[in-house]
Amino acid sequence: IDRPLRLDIIPLMEDGSDAKTGGISITTGTVIPTPKEARTRRMISPGGHFNAEWLNKQFKVMNWNILADLYTSEAQYPYCEKWALSWSWRKHLILKELKSMTADIITLQEVQKDAFEDWFRPELAEAGYDGVFAPKKWEPSFHRGKYTTEGCATFYKTTRFKRLDKVVFDYDKLSAVRRGQSAQQDQERGLPRWKGDCAGNIALALVLEDLTLQTTQNWQGAGPKGGDKL
């Protein structure tokens, strides 16, 4: 730890002896310790008295922009050590943090499609979560030997919620409709014409049924099993 390593790579002959030529040496960066366990966060309460009935009606939501590996260039983050930007390093720390919070619902941004499929979905499934991914509305980028894109992902505890529906909001389409509706009004008011767009941004929304709380009021939405719908 705190020292570089030199790796001497020597090819072997068919008889198992060392080859006289073809060997190379590689010097690594500084060896760093194994990631520490997730930090213990100090929770701030809004005050008041809590009882078991009140706590049973609550659920915890965690939101996090995890920084897609697509964007972790040294030019973008010159102040950060290269090893700290490595996805093979960060993904373990992110997963530890997610699990440590024991949230009922997890919402993530800048999740790469391959990271969702190969890492987050299988790893969080072992912790009792199911998840949904929605990519941004742009062409995939070639990154580390393959095409991929990034977007939003939402995970939820299957013991607490059942997914009823999934809705993806395309901000480019929504803004185009809004611009079309307001163009005449803006012109009449003397406002400049807006030429921007949302660059493929989206929002992911899930409709969930609470499997632990039953609907008690007529105005409340209820799922197929009578649970609160949110």
Side-chain angles (χ1 to χ4, degrees):
I1 295 177
D2 296 330
R3 297 288 188 275
L5 296 177
R6 191 184 75 178
L7 306 178
D8 294 324
I9 303 174
I10 303 173
L12 298 178
M13 306 295 289
E14 291 184 358
D15 61 2
S17 61
D18 293 347
K20 300 296 185 181
T21 60
I24 60 173
S25 293
I26 299 176
T27 301
T28 70
T30 303
V31 178
I32 55 180
T34 302
K36 297 180 180 179
E37 293 299 320
R39 294 168 290 179
T40 301
R41 299 185 182 273
R42 184 174 65 89
M43 298 301 174
I44 301 175
S45 169
H49 299 285
F50 308 133
N51 53 39
E53 181 182 359
W54 184 90
L55 290 173
N56 187 51
K57 295 180 181 179
Q58 310 309 305
F59 58 88
K60 185 191 296 185
V61 179
M62 180 182 185
N63 178 64
W64 196 359
N65 184 316
I66 62 172
L67 180 59
D69 191 43
L70 284 166
Y71 307 137
T72 56
S73 66
E74 293 182 63
Q76 184 72 20
Y77 299 96
Y79 51 83
C80 187
E81 294 287 351
K82 187 176 181 180
W83 59 263
L85 291 173
S86 170
W87 179 246
S88 60
W89 170 263
R90 292 196 301 121
K91 69 179 185 180
H92 293 283
L93 297 178
I94 292 171
L95 186 65
K96 282 186 176 182
E97 186 79 6
L98 294 177
K99 290 183 175 180
S100 72
M101 297 304 293
T102 61
D104 299 295
I105 300 173
I106 300 172
T107 58
L108 303 176
Q109 298 84 49
E110 288 196 20
V111 180
Q112 282 184 206
K113 185 174 184 293
D114 53 323
F116 173 81
E117 295 174 345
D118 301 336
W119 181 248
F120 289 112
R121 183 163 62 179
E123 291 292 334
L124 289 175
E126 295 182 3
Y129 292 92
D130 192 10
V132 177
F133 172 79
K136 287 183 177 178
K137 302 293 184 178
W138 57 20
E139 292 297 321
S141 301
F142 192 74
H143 179 69
R144 303 193 189 282
K146 58 184 176 182
Y147 285 95
T148 188
T149 186
E150 58 95 355
C152 300
T154 298
F155 295 88
Y156 55 92
K157 278 282 190 180
T158 56
T159 55
R160 178 69 188 264
F161 296 106
K162 178 182 178 181
R163 179 163 61 93
L164 303 179
D165 199 4
K166 163 189 169 182
V167 181
V168 177
F169 297 93
D170 185 335
Y171 285 130
D172 283 346
K173 291 183 178 179
L174 292 174
S175 64
V177 172
R178 176 68 180 88
R179 291 199 302 272
Q181 293 174 342
S182 62
Q184 183 63 34
Q185 296 175 350
D186 291 345
Q187 185 177 6
E188 293 174 355
R189 295 169 59 191
L191 298 177
R193 183 179 179 184
W194 185 62
K195 299 180 180 180
D197 57 41
C198 296
N201 289 329
I202 58 98
L204 171 63
L206 300 186
V207 179
L208 303 174
E209 179 182 3
D210 194 324
L211 300 177
T212 63
L213 291 179
Q214 296 293 302
T215 300
T216 57
Q217 303 293 334
N218 293 332
W219 55 266
Q220 291 178 312
K225 295 185 178 181
D228 280 349
K229 187 166 64 174
L230 64 144

